[in-house]
Amino acid sequence: MKKHLAVIMLAVFMMVLAGCGGKKIDAPVVGDWKLSTVEAMGQTMTVEDFAALTGSDVEMKISIKDNGTFSANFEGESGEGKWEYEEPTITLKDDTDTLTGEYKDGKITLSIDEGGESYSMTFEK
């Protein structure tokens, strides 16, 4: 009898441990995103047009993971942090900054205010 009880307790213990894995978040924002358009000074431009105008490489990517974290690469600089999503708002936070955006029609648009200038960046999968 003791042997059977020990086996049952071991099985329950293993199930509890298996259930302790990270919880996956099912949200439409999960995935890999690439910058597609930039809105600045009242104009919306493709990434290629914006790069030509500024004379720089404007490759920007965000990878939003189902464990609540994200990684980003903006013009060669990388970072990571945590994200939250409450339809339609997505919030990306790292140690120093918080960016808020909107998920709509399969796109994420992040709004940025910097030095008195406002612009937005739209990302697509």
Side-chain angles (χ1 to χ4, degrees), residues 66-83:
D66 64 3
N67 65 359
T69 65
F70 75 93
S71 59
N73 186 316
F74 296 122
E75 299 178 343
E77 291 188 33
S78 59
E80 54 188 31
K82 296 185 182 224
W83 63 271

Side-chain angles (χ1 to χ4, degrees), residues 32-66:
D32 294 325
W33 299 86
K34 187 175 180 179
L35 182 65
S36 60
T37 61
V38 176
E39 183 180 330
M41 298 175 281
Q43 286 189 301
T44 301
M45 298 169 263
T46 65
V47 173
E48 295 79 16
D49 291 341
F50 187 73
L53 181 68
T54 61
S56 65
D57 180 23
V58 190
E59 186 174 356
M60 298 184 184
K61 296 178 182 179
I62 301 173
S63 181
I64 299 175
K65 300 171 185 88
D66 64 3

